Coordinates of all heavy atoms in Angstrom, one line a residue:
M1 N 112.6 34.7 -28.1 CA 112.0 33.4 -27.7 C 110.6 33.5 -28.0 O 109.9 34.4 -27.7 CB 112.3 33.2 -26.2 CG 111.7 31.9 -25.7 SD 112.2 31.4 -24.1 CE 111.0 32.4 -23.1
T2 N 110.0 32.4 -28.6 CA 108.6 32.3 -28.9 C 108.0 31.4 -27.8 O 108.6 30.5 -27.3 CB 108.3 31.8 -30.3 OG1 108.8 30.5 -30.4 CG2 108.9 32.7 -31.3
V3 N 106.7 31.8 -27.5 CA 106.0 31.0 -26.5 C 104.6 30.8 -27.0 O 104.0 31.8 -27.6 CB 105.9 31.8 -25.2 CG1 105.0 31.1 -24.2 CG2 107.3 32.1 -24.6
S4 N 104.0 29.7 -26.9 CA 102.6 29.4 -27.3 C 101.7 29.9 -26.3 O 101.8 29.7 -25.1 CB 102.4 27.9 -27.6 OG 101.1 27.7 -28.0
T5 N 100.7 30.7 -26.8 CA 99.7 31.2 -25.8 C 98.3 31.3 -26.5 O 98.2 31.2 -27.7 CB 100.1 32.6 -25.4 OG1 99.2 33.0 -24.3 CG2 100.0 33.7 -26.5
R6 N 97.3 31.3 -25.7 CA 95.9 31.4 -26.2 C 95.5 32.9 -26.2 O 95.7 33.6 -25.2 CB 94.9 30.7 -25.4 CG 93.5 30.8 -25.9 CD 92.5 29.8 -25.4 NE 92.8 28.4 -25.8 CZ 92.6 28.0 -27.1 NH1 92.1 28.8 -27.9 NH2 92.8 26.7 -27.4
L7 N 95.1 33.4 -27.4 CA 94.6 34.8 -27.4 C 93.1 34.7 -27.6 O 92.5 34.0 -28.4 CB 95.1 35.5 -28.7 CG 96.6 35.8 -28.7 CD1 97.0 36.5 -30.0 CD2 97.0 36.8 -27.5
D8 N 92.4 35.5 -26.8 CA 90.9 35.7 -26.9 C 90.7 37.0 -27.6 O 91.1 38.1 -27.1 CB 90.3 35.8 -25.5 CG 90.3 34.4 -24.8 OD1 90.2 33.4 -25.5 OD2 90.5 34.4 -23.6
I9 N 90.2 36.9 -28.9 CA 90.2 38.1 -29.8 C 88.7 38.5 -29.9 O 87.8 37.7 -30.2 CB 90.7 37.6 -31.2 CG1 92.2 37.2 -31.0 CG2 90.5 38.7 -32.2 CD1 92.7 36.4 -32.1
A10 N 88.5 39.8 -29.6 CA 87.1 40.3 -29.8 C 86.8 40.4 -31.2 O 87.6 40.7 -32.1 CB 87.1 41.7 -29.2
V11 N 85.5 40.0 -31.5 CA 85.0 40.0 -32.9 C 83.8 40.9 -33.0 O 83.0 40.9 -32.0 CB 84.8 38.6 -33.5 CG1 86.1 37.9 -33.7 CG2 83.9 37.8 -32.6
F12 N 83.6 41.6 -34.0 CA 82.6 42.6 -34.1 C 81.8 42.5 -35.5 O 82.3 41.9 -36.4 CB 83.1 44.0 -34.0 CG 83.7 44.3 -32.7 CD1 85.1 44.2 -32.5 CD2 82.9 44.6 -31.6 CE1 85.7 44.4 -31.3 CE2 83.5 44.9 -30.4 CZ 84.8 44.8 -30.2
G13 N 80.6 43.0 -35.5 CA 79.8 43.1 -36.7 C 79.5 41.7 -37.3 O 79.2 40.8 -36.5
Q14 N 79.6 41.6 -38.6 CA 79.3 40.3 -39.2 C 80.1 39.2 -38.8 O 79.7 38.0 -38.7 CB 79.3 40.5 -40.8 CG 78.8 39.3 -41.5 CD 77.3 39.1 -41.3 OE1 76.6 39.9 -40.9 NE2 76.9 37.9 -41.6
C15 N 81.4 39.5 -38.4 CA 82.3 38.4 -37.9 C 81.6 37.8 -36.6 O 81.6 36.5 -36.5 CB 83.6 39.0 -37.5 SG 84.5 39.7 -38.9
R16 N 81.1 38.6 -35.7 CA 80.5 38.0 -34.5 C 79.3 37.2 -34.9 O 79.0 36.1 -34.4 CB 80.0 39.2 -33.6 CG 79.4 38.7 -32.3 CD 79.0 39.8 -31.4 NE 80.2 40.4 -30.8 CZ 80.2 41.2 -29.8 NH1 79.0 41.6 -29.3 NH2 81.3 41.7 -29.3
A17 N 78.5 37.7 -35.9 CA 77.3 36.9 -36.3 C 77.7 35.6 -36.9 O 77.0 34.6 -36.7 CB 76.5 37.8 -37.3
L18 N 78.8 35.6 -37.7 CA 79.2 34.4 -38.4 C 79.7 33.3 -37.4 O 79.5 32.1 -37.6 CB 80.2 34.6 -39.4 CG 79.7 35.3 -40.7 CD1 80.9 35.8 -41.5 CD2 78.8 34.4 -41.5
I19 N 80.4 33.7 -36.4 CA 80.9 32.7 -35.4 C 80.0 32.5 -34.2 O 80.2 31.5 -33.5 CB 82.4 33.0 -35.0 CG1 82.5 34.2 -34.1 CG2 83.3 33.1 -36.2 CD1 83.8 34.3 -33.4
G20 N 79.1 33.3 -34.1 CA 78.0 33.1 -33.0 C 78.5 33.4 -31.6 O 77.9 32.9 -30.7
Q21 N 79.6 34.1 -31.5 CA 80.1 34.5 -30.1 C 80.9 35.8 -30.2 O 81.4 36.1 -31.2 CB 80.9 33.3 -29.5 CG 82.0 32.9 -30.4 CD 82.6 31.5 -30.0 OE1 81.9 30.6 -29.7 NE2 83.9 31.4 -30.1
P22 N 81.1 36.4 -29.1 CA 81.8 37.7 -29.1 C 83.3 37.6 -29.1 O 84.0 38.7 -29.3 CB 81.3 38.4 -27.8 CG 80.9 37.3 -26.9 CD 80.4 36.2 -27.8
T23 N 83.8 36.5 -28.9 CA 85.3 36.3 -28.9 C 85.7 35.1 -29.7 O 85.0 34.1 -29.7 CB 85.9 36.2 -27.5 OG1 85.4 35.1 -26.8 CG2 85.7 37.5 -26.7
A24 N 86.9 35.2 -30.3 CA 87.4 34.1 -31.0 C 88.7 33.7 -30.3 O 89.6 34.5 -30.1 CB 87.8 34.4 -32.5
S25 N 88.8 32.5 -29.8 CA 90.0 32.0 -29.1 C 90.9 31.2 -30.1 O 90.4 30.3 -30.7 CB 89.7 31.1 -27.9 OG 89.0 31.9 -27.0
V26 N 92.2 31.6 -30.1 CA 93.1 30.9 -31.0 C 94.4 30.7 -30.2 O 94.8 31.5 -29.4 CB 93.4 31.6 -32.3 CG1 92.2 31.7 -33.2 CG2 94.0 33.0 -32.1
Q27 N 95.1 29.6 -30.5 CA 96.4 29.3 -30.0 C 97.5 29.8 -31.0 O 97.4 29.4 -32.1 CB 96.6 27.8 -29.7 CG 97.7 27.4 -28.9 CD 97.6 27.7 -27.4 OE1 96.4 27.7 -26.9 NE2 98.6 27.9 -26.7
V28 N 98.4 30.6 -30.6 CA 99.4 31.1 -31.4 C 100.8 31.2 -30.7 O 100.8 31.2 -29.4 CB 99.1 32.6 -32.0 CG1 97.9 32.5 -32.9 CG2 98.9 33.5 -30.8
S29 N 101.8 31.3 -31.4 CA 103.1 31.5 -30.8 C 103.4 33.0 -30.9 O 103.2 33.7 -31.9 CB 104.2 30.8 -31.7 OG 104.1 29.4 -31.6
V30 N 103.8 33.5 -29.7 CA 104.1 35.0 -29.6 C 105.6 35.2 -29.3 O 106.2 34.3 -28.7 CB 103.2 35.7 -28.6 CG1 101.8 35.7 -29.0 CG2 103.3 35.0 -27.2
P31 N 106.1 36.3 -29.8 CA 105.5 37.3 -30.6 C 105.1 36.8 -32.0 O 105.7 35.9 -32.5 CB 106.5 38.4 -30.6 CG 107.8 37.8 -30.5 CD 107.6 36.6 -29.7
T32 N 104.0 37.5 -32.5 CA 103.5 37.2 -33.8 C 103.1 38.5 -34.5 O 103.5 39.6 -34.0 CB 102.4 36.2 -33.7 OG1 102.1 35.7 -35.0 CG2 101.2 36.7 -33.0
T33 N 102.4 38.4 -35.6 CA 102.0 39.6 -36.3 C 100.4 39.5 -36.5 O 99.8 38.5 -36.3 CB 102.6 39.6 -37.7 OG1 102.1 38.5 -38.5 CG2 104.1 39.7 -37.7
A34 N 99.9 40.7 -36.8 CA 98.5 40.8 -37.0 C 98.0 39.9 -38.1 O 97.0 39.2 -38.0 CB 98.1 42.2 -37.3
A35 N 98.8 39.8 -39.2 CA 98.4 38.9 -40.3 C 98.4 37.4 -39.9 O 97.5 36.7 -40.3 CB 99.4 39.1 -41.5
A36 N 99.4 37.0 -39.1 CA 99.4 35.6 -38.6 C 98.2 35.3 -37.7 O 97.6 34.2 -37.7 CB 100.7 35.4 -37.9
V37 N 97.8 36.3 -36.8 CA 96.7 36.1 -35.9 C 95.4 36.0 -36.8 O 94.6 35.1 -36.5 CB 96.6 37.2 -34.9 CG1 95.3 37.2 -34.2 CG2 97.7 37.0 -33.9
L38 N 95.3 36.9 -37.8 CA 94.1 36.8 -38.6 C 94.0 35.5 -39.3 O 92.9 34.9 -39.4 CB 94.1 38.0 -39.6 CG 92.9 38.1 -40.5 CD1 91.6 38.2 -39.7 CD2 93.0 39.2 -41.5
A39 N 95.1 35.0 -39.8 CA 95.1 33.7 -40.5 C 94.7 32.6 -39.5 O 94.0 31.7 -39.9 CB 96.5 33.4 -41.1
A40 N 95.2 32.7 -38.3 CA 94.8 31.7 -37.3 C 93.4 31.7 -37.0 O 92.7 30.7 -36.8 CB 95.7 31.9 -36.0
V41 N 92.8 32.9 -36.9 CA 91.4 33.1 -36.6 C 90.6 32.4 -37.8 O 89.6 31.7 -37.5 CB 91.0 34.5 -36.4 CG1 89.5 34.7 -36.4 CG2 91.6 35.1 -35.1
C42 N 91.0 32.7 -39.0 CA 90.3 32.1 -40.1 C 90.4 30.6 -40.3 O 89.5 30.0 -40.8 CB 90.7 32.9 -41.4 SG 90.1 34.6 -41.5
R43 N 91.5 30.1 -39.8 CA 91.7 28.6 -39.7 C 90.7 28.0 -38.7 O 90.1 27.0 -38.9 CB 93.1 28.2 -39.5 CG 94.0 28.2 -40.7 CD 95.3 27.5 -40.4 NE 96.0 28.0 -39.2 CZ 96.8 29.1 -39.2 NH1 97.0 29.8 -40.3 NH2 97.4 29.5 -38.1
Q44 N 90.7 28.7 -37.5 CA 89.9 28.2 -36.4 C 88.4 28.3 -36.7 O 87.6 27.5 -36.2 CB 90.3 28.9 -35.1 CG 89.6 28.5 -33.9 CD 90.0 27.1 -33.4 OE1 91.2 26.7 -33.6 NE2 89.1 26.4 -32.8
Y45 N 88.1 29.4 -37.4 CA 86.7 29.7 -37.7 C 86.5 29.8 -39.2 O 86.5 30.9 -39.7 CB 86.2 31.0 -37.0 CG 86.4 30.9 -35.5 CD1 87.6 31.3 -34.8 CD2 85.4 30.4 -34.7 CE1 87.8 31.2 -33.5 CE2 85.6 30.2 -33.3 CZ 86.7 30.7 -32.7 OH 86.9 30.6 -31.3
P46 N 86.4 28.7 -39.9 CA 86.4 28.7 -41.4 C 85.3 29.5 -42.0 O 85.5 30.0 -43.2 CB 86.4 27.2 -41.8 CG 86.0 26.5 -40.5 CD 86.3 27.3 -39.4
Q47 N 84.3 29.8 -41.3 CA 83.2 30.7 -41.8 C 83.7 32.1 -42.1 O 83.1 32.8 -42.9 CB 82.0 30.6 -41.0 CG 82.1 31.1 -39.6 CD 82.5 30.0 -38.6 OE1 83.4 29.2 -38.9 NE2 81.9 30.0 -37.4
L48 N 84.8 32.5 -41.5 CA 85.4 33.8 -41.7 C 86.4 33.8 -42.9 O 86.8 34.8 -43.4 CB 86.1 34.3 -40.5 CG 85.3 34.6 -39.3 CD1 86.1 35.0 -38.1 CD2 84.2 35.6 -39.6
A49 N 86.9 32.6 -43.3 CA 88.0 32.5 -44.3 C 87.6 33.2 -45.6 O 88.5 33.9 -46.2 CB 88.3 31.0 -44.5
P50 N 86.4 33.2 -46.1 CA 86.1 33.9 -47.4 C 86.4 35.4 -47.3 O 86.5 36.1 -48.3 CB 84.7 33.5 -47.7 CG 84.4 32.3 -46.9 CD 85.3 32.4 -45.7
F51 N 86.4 35.9 -46.1 CA 86.5 37.4 -45.9 C 87.8 37.8 -45.4 O 88.1 39.0 -45.1 CB 85.4 37.8 -44.9 CG 84.0 37.3 -45.3 CD1 83.5 36.3 -44.6 CD2 83.3 37.9 -46.3 CE1 82.2 35.8 -44.9 CE2 82.1 37.4 -46.7 CZ 81.5 36.3 -46.0
E52 N 88.8 36.9 -45.3 CA 90.1 37.1 -44.7 C 90.8 38.3 -45.3 O 91.4 39.2 -44.6 CB 91.0 35.9 -44.8 CG 92.3 36.1 -44.1 CD 93.2 34.9 -44.0 OE1 92.7 33.8 -44.5 OE2 94.3 35.0 -43.5
G53 N 90.7 38.5 -46.6 CA 91.3 39.6 -47.3 C 90.8 41.0 -47.0 O 91.5 42.0 -47.3
S54 N 89.6 41.0 -46.5 CA 89.0 42.3 -46.2 C 88.8 42.6 -44.7 O 88.4 43.8 -44.4 CB 87.6 42.5 -46.9 OG 86.7 41.5 -46.4
L55 N 89.1 41.7 -43.9 CA 88.9 41.9 -42.4 C 90.0 42.8 -41.9 O 91.1 42.8 -42.4 CB 88.9 40.6 -41.7 CG 87.7 39.6 -42.0 CD1 87.9 38.3 -41.3 CD2 86.4 40.3 -41.7
L56 N 89.6 43.6 -40.9 CA 90.5 44.5 -40.2 C 90.9 44.0 -38.9 O 90.1 43.3 -38.2 CB 89.9 45.9 -40.1 CG 89.4 46.5 -41.4 CD1 88.6 47.8 -41.1 CD2 90.6 46.8 -42.3
V57 N 92.1 44.3 -38.4 CA 92.6 43.9 -37.1 C 93.0 45.2 -36.4 O 93.6 46.1 -36.9 CB 93.8 43.0 -37.3 CG1 94.4 42.6 -35.9 CG2 93.5 41.7 -38.0
A58 N 92.7 45.2 -35.1 CA 93.1 46.3 -34.2 C 93.9 45.6 -33.1 O 93.6 44.5 -32.6 CB 91.9 47.0 -33.6
V59 N 95.0 46.3 -32.7 CA 95.8 45.8 -31.6 C 95.9 47.0 -30.6 O 96.3 48.1 -31.0 CB 97.2 45.4 -32.1 CG1 98.1 45.0 -30.9 CG2 97.1 44.3 -33.1
N60 N 95.5 46.7 -29.4 CA 95.5 47.7 -28.3 C 94.7 49.0 -28.8 O 95.2 50.1 -28.6 CB 96.9 48.0 -27.9 CG 97.5 46.8 -27.2 OD1 96.9 46.0 -26.6 ND2 98.8 46.6 -27.5
E61 N 93.6 48.8 -29.4 CA 92.7 49.8 -29.8 C 93.2 50.7 -30.9 O 92.8 51.9 -31.1 CB 92.2 50.6 -28.6 CG 91.4 49.8 -27.6 CD 90.9 50.5 -26.5 OE1 90.8 51.8 -26.5 OE2 90.5 49.9 -25.5
E62 N 94.1 50.2 -31.7 CA 94.7 50.9 -32.9 C 94.6 50.0 -34.1 O 94.9 48.8 -34.0 CB 96.2 51.3 -32.7 CG 96.4 52.1 -31.4 CD 96.5 53.6 -31.8 OE1 96.8 53.9 -32.9 OE2 96.4 54.4 -30.8
Y63 N 94.2 50.6 -35.2 CA 94.2 49.8 -36.5 C 95.6 49.2 -36.7 O 96.6 49.9 -36.4 CB 93.9 50.6 -37.7 CG 92.4 51.0 -37.8 CD1 92.0 52.3 -37.6 CD2 91.5 50.0 -38.1 CE1 90.6 52.6 -37.7 CE2 90.1 50.3 -38.2 CZ 89.7 51.6 -38.0 OH 88.4 51.9 -38.1
A64 N 95.7 48.0 -37.1 CA 97.0 47.3 -37.2 C 97.3 47.0 -38.7 O 96.4 46.7 -39.5 CB 96.9 46.0 -36.5
R65 N 98.5 47.1 -39.1 CA 99.0 46.7 -40.4 C 99.3 45.2 -40.3 O 99.4 44.7 -39.2 CB 100.2 47.5 -40.7 CG 100.0 49.0 -40.9 CD 101.2 49.8 -41.1 NE 102.4 49.0 -41.5 CZ 103.2 49.4 -42.5 NH1 103.1 50.6 -43.0 NH2 104.2 48.6 -42.8
P66 N 99.4 44.5 -41.4 CA 99.7 43.1 -41.4 C 100.9 42.8 -40.6 O 101.0 41.7 -39.9 CB 99.8 42.7 -42.8 CG 99.0 43.7 -43.5 CD 99.1 45.0 -42.8
D67 N 101.9 43.6 -40.6 CA 103.2 43.4 -39.9 C 103.2 43.9 -38.5 O 104.3 43.8 -37.8 CB 104.4 43.9 -40.7 CG 104.4 45.4 -40.9 OD1 103.3 46.0 -40.6 OD2 105.4 46.0 -41.3
T68 N 102.1 44.4 -38.0 CA 102.1 44.9 -36.6 C 102.3 43.8 -35.6 O 101.7 42.7 -35.7 CB 100.7 45.6 -36.3 OG1 100.5 46.7 -37.1 CG2 100.6 46.0 -34.8
P69 N 103.3 43.9 -34.7 CA 103.6 42.8 -33.8 C 102.5 42.7 -32.7 O 101.9 43.6 -32.3 CB 104.9 43.3 -33.1 CG 105.1 44.7 -33.4 CD 104.2 45.0 -34.6
I70 N 102.3 41.4 -32.3 CA 101.3 41.1 -31.3 C 102.0 40.3 -30.2 O 102.7 39.3 -30.6 CB 100.1 40.4 -31.8 CG1 99.3 41.3 -32.8 CG2 99.2 39.9 -30.7 CD1 98.1 40.6 -33.4
C71 N 101.9 40.6 -29.0 CA 102.5 39.9 -27.9 C 101.4 39.4 -26.9 O 100.3 39.9 -27.0 CB 103.5 40.8 -27.1 SG 104.9 41.4 -28.1
A72 N 101.8 38.5 -26.1 CA 100.8 38.0 -25.1 C 100.3 39.2 -24.3 O 101.1 40.1 -23.9 CB 101.5 37.0 -24.2
G73 N 99.1 39.2 -24.0 CA 98.5 40.3 -23.2 C 97.9 41.4 -24.0 O 97.3 42.3 -23.5
D74 N 98.3 41.5 -25.3 CA 97.7 42.6 -26.2 C 96.2 42.4 -26.4 O 95.7 41.3 -26.4 CB 98.4 42.6 -27.5 CG 99.8 43.2 -27.5 OD1 100.1 43.9 -26.5 OD2 100.5 43.0 -28.5
D75 N 95.5 43.5 -26.5 CA 94.1 43.5 -26.8 C 93.9 43.5 -28.3 O 94.3 44.4 -29.0 CB 93.5 44.8 -26.2 CG 92.0 44.9 -26.4 OD1 91.3 43.9 -26.5 OD2 91.5 46.1 -26.4
V76 N 93.4 42.4 -28.8 CA 93.2 42.2 -30.3 C 91.8 42.1 -30.6 O 91.0 41.5 -29.9 CB 94.0 41.0 -30.7 CG1 93.9 40.8 -32.2 CG2 95.5 41.0 -30.3
A77 N 91.4 42.7 -31.8 CA 90.0 42.7 -32.3 C 90.1 42.4 -33.8 O 91.0 42.9 -34.5 CB 89.3 43.9 -31.9
V78 N 89.0 41.8 -34.3 CA 88.9 41.6 -35.7 C 87.5 42.0 -36.1 O 86.5 41.8 -35.4 CB 89.0 40.1 -36.1 CG1 88.6 39.8 -37.5 CG2 90.4 39.6 -35.8
F79 N 87.4 42.8 -37.2 CA 86.1 43.3 -37.6 C 86.1 43.5 -39.1 O 87.1 43.7 -39.7 CB 85.7 44.6 -36.8 CG 86.8 45.6 -36.8 CD1 86.8 46.6 -37.7 CD2 87.8 45.5 -35.9 CE1 87.9 47.6 -37.7 CE2 88.9 46.4 -35.8 CZ 88.9 47.5 -36.8
P80 N 84.8 43.6 -39.7 CA 84.7 43.9 -41.1 C 85.0 45.4 -41.4 O 85.0 46.2 -40.4 CB 83.3 43.5 -41.4 CG 82.6 43.7 -40.1 CD 83.6 43.4 -39.1
P81 N 85.3 45.7 -42.6 CA 85.5 47.1 -43.0 C 84.3 47.9 -42.5 O 83.2 47.5 -42.6 CB 85.6 47.1 -44.5 CG 85.9 45.7 -44.9 CD 85.3 44.8 -43.8
I82 N 84.6 49.1 -42.1 CA 83.6 50.0 -41.6 C 83.4 51.2 -42.6 O 84.4 51.8 -43.0 CB 83.9 50.6 -40.2 CG1 84.0 49.4 -39.3 CG2 82.9 51.6 -39.8 CD1 84.5 49.7 -37.9
A83 N 82.2 51.5 -43.0 CA 82.0 52.6 -43.9 C 81.3 53.7 -43.1 O 80.4 53.4 -42.3 CB 81.1 52.2 -45.1
G84 N 81.7 54.9 -43.3 CA 81.0 56.0 -42.6 C 80.3 56.9 -43.6 O 80.4 56.7 -44.8
G85 N 79.5 57.8 -43.1 CA 78.7 58.6 -44.0 C 78.6 60.0 -43.5 O 79.0 60.4 -42.5

């Protein structure tokens, strides 16, 4: 069964700078996937859309693959690629 819910998604780095706030709120049907949530974020905040192909998603503090399931209550974050040195 799918249920519509609002997810408050933490955004970091340049993503936060582009949308001007620390969280992105989107309405989605759950369960869903990381790819679907990222697409919803980019629709809601079109300034992120040009970067959709390179943005990363974390679910419950773990890097997520596009097919990673997301349920209501999960901790979700979106951020740009991170380079280490």
Side-chain angles (χ1 to χ4, degrees):
M1 178 170 85
T2 61
V3 176
S4 182
T5 191
R6 178 163 294 286
L7 291 178
D8 291 324
I9 299 161
V11 291
F12 296 97
Q14 188 64 20
C15 297
R16 181 180 286 192
L18 287 169
I19 69 168
Q21 56 196 40
T23 59
S25 294
V26 294
Q27 191 76 27
V28 295
S29 294
V30 292
T32 189
T33 64
V37 167
L38 181 57
V41 168
C42 289
R43 278 192 309 275
Q44 182 72 28
Y45 302 92
Q47 58 272 44
L48 296 179
F51 310 103
E52 184 174 357
S54 63
L55 296 176
L56 302 172
V57 177
V59 179
N60 298 325
E61 299 183 13
E62 302 264 340
Y63 286 111
R65 295 171 22 136
D67 62 348
T68 298
I70 296 176
C71 297
D74 282 344
D75 180 26
V76 181
V78 172
F79 49 96
I82 299 172

